[in-house]
Amino acid sequence: MASSCRHHQQPPLSHPTTTTRWWSEDSVAIVTGANKGIGYALVKRFAELGLTVVLTARDQSRGLQAMDSLKVLGVDHHVRFCQLDISDPVSIRCFVSWFRSSFKAFDILVNNAAVCFNAMNENSMEYAETVIKTNYYGSKQFTEAMLPFFRRSSSMSRILNISSRLGTLDKLNNPQMKAILGDKETLSEGRIDMVVNAFLEDVKEGRWKTQGWPEIWTDYSVAKLALNAYSQVLAKRYKGVVSVNCFCPGFTQTAMTDGNGKHSADDAAKMAAKIALLPVPVLNTGKFYVGSTSRGICSKL
């Protein structure tokens, strides 16, 4: 993995400076799943850098608790909260209505919200449909609902999908599915759905272990495979209008990893913010970035 990363590595991404700063307090970023972990840390980082941030959380009380902790840190004046469950179309519609009444446009969307029902060494498919519904379809549906509100500007709007190397094509050993997702010329939402439906059918029929699907956190990995592919479709469709990239924060100390990891959520958030805030001259689209506190940030695409 490290050698592949070096092969595709681009010049190091430097921290934003006053000479490259394109944003202001009028710039708006939305972060989903932000009451804890990387999402919360990223809201905090954006607020520290002077952006206006919308913190979303599925649970209203946990979202308000996150706001209280930001108040203690003195950055809450840059942050607004709205409840959002990306797996629920009604909740998405309510968020859109709230956003429309609160803002004219926004600049950055970070799709961070995700669920995983397996502990570190488990791989049950009991909740596979829920994982796919939230981590792939939820992020997709929320993105599509918010696309009309992206600001048209010279600094270009940005989507950053928090993803995982567990969802890269080299983890997929099903030749047919790999060919579908690997063909960038024919890749479409319909073909992505074909792969996702094939996986869910394999789960339903109890044959998922023998069909070449990713071996670690299989449902989570397939959802990230789909999200990565969808990001490619969006990047191609909106090239020159919206920058769409994925970011794998690496093995990060969060609730999902039971607190294990090589770096903190704050470390991951700093890397994510660095990508999301790239100045236009070096802003790419359709990239899959991998973060490491020792090697920095590099792109696998």
Side-chain angles (χ1 to χ4, degrees):
M1 184 66 68
S3 60
S4 172
C5 188
R6 284 195 296 270
H7 177 72
H8 294 279
Q9 190 165 0
Q10 298 176 348
L13 302 181
S14 61
H15 286 283
T17 65
T18 54
T19 57
T20 60
R21 180 178 175 130
W22 56 266
W23 66 91
S24 70
E25 64 180 12
D26 294 325
S27 303
V28 179
I30 300 172
V31 184
T32 67
N35 60 284
K36 63 180 181 179
I38 295 173
Y40 171 80
L42 188 51
V43 167
K44 181 175 65 172
R45 180 62 175 162
F46 280 150
E48 290 169 346
L49 290 170
L51 288 89
T52 294
V53 196
V54 177
L55 181 159
T56 83
R58 181 176 56 217
D59 185 282
Q60 177 86 6
S61 62
R62 291 179 181 178
L64 292 174
Q65 287 172 10
M67 289 295 294
D68 287 341
S69 66
L70 291 171
K71 185 175 183 179
V72 172
L73 296 173
V75 295
D76 61 302
H77 57 288
H78 284 294
V79 185
R80 301 280 299 277
F81 168 66
C82 184
Q83 187 274 339
L84 170 67
D85 180 352
I86 62 169
S87 68
D88 181 1
V90 174
S91 182
I92 291 176
R93 287 197 295 271
C94 289
F95 180 91
V96 169
S97 178
W98 172 86
F99 183 86
R100 186 186 289 116
S101 66
S102 304
F103 299 93
K104 292 181 179 179
F106 75 107
D107 305 88
I108 300 170
L109 169 60
V110 180
N111 283 311
N112 171 73
V115 295
C116 181
F117 295 93
N118 285 307
M120 287 292 291
N121 297 313
E122 296 177 348
N123 197 28
S124 166
M125 293 301 104
E126 182 179 356
Y127 300 102
E129 285 193 26
T130 300
V131 171
I132 295 293
K133 179 182 178 182
T134 303
N135 298 6
Y136 170 50
Y137 286 113
S139 293
K140 174 184 173 183
Q141 289 162 6
F142 182 62
T143 297
E144 292 176 352
M146 295 305 296
L147 278 169
F149 301 99
F150 270 115
R151 195 186 316 277
R152 295 294 185 100
S153 69
S154 58
S155 57
M156 196 177 303
S157 295
R158 297 114 191 274
I159 297 172
L160 185 63
N161 291 321
I162 304 301
S163 190
S164 171
R165 280 174 289 188
L166 294 177
T168 52
L169 280 176
D170 59 344
K171 303 297 190 298
L172 183 59
N173 293 313
N174 182 312
Q176 182 184 4
M177 300 298 108
K178 196 168 189 175
I180 292 173
L181 295 181
D183 188 342
K184 291 187 178 182
E185 294 302 315
T186 62
L187 188 62
S188 66
E189 293 173 53
R191 290 174 72 79
I192 298 169
D193 288 347
M194 188 188 309
V195 172
V196 169
N197 291 334
F199 167 69
L200 291 175
E201 184 64 23
D202 284 346
V203 170
K204 182 180 178 181
E205 297 298 326
R207 57 174 181 253
W208 59 272
K209 289 184 179 180
T210 63
Q211 299 304 304
W213 299 109
E215 297 179 358
I216 300 174
W217 281 359
T218 305
D219 51 1
Y220 181 87
S221 299
V222 170
K224 292 302 185 182
L225 263 170
L227 182 63
N228 293 342
Y230 174 63
S231 300
Q232 292 291 310
V233 171
L234 280 186
K236 185 176 181 180
R237 182 181 301 160
Y238 295 105
K239 187 174 183 179
V241 180
V242 180
S243 167
V244 186
N245 294 301
C246 293
F247 171 59
C248 170
F251 192 27
T252 307
Q253 297 156 4
T254 64
M256 193 174 288
T257 62
D258 298 326
N260 298 301
K262 295 182 178 179
H263 51 250
S264 68
D266 283 338
D267 292 329
K270 287 177 182 177
M271 291 185 281
K274 198 182 298 185
I275 297 168
L277 297 174
L278 283 171
V280 173
V282 293
L283 180 65
N284 291 305
T285 193
K287 297 294 183 181
F288 183 94
Y289 291 102
V290 177
S292 166
T293 50
S294 60
R295 296 191 303 270
I297 302 170
C298 58
S299 172
K300 292 196 67 179
L301 293 176

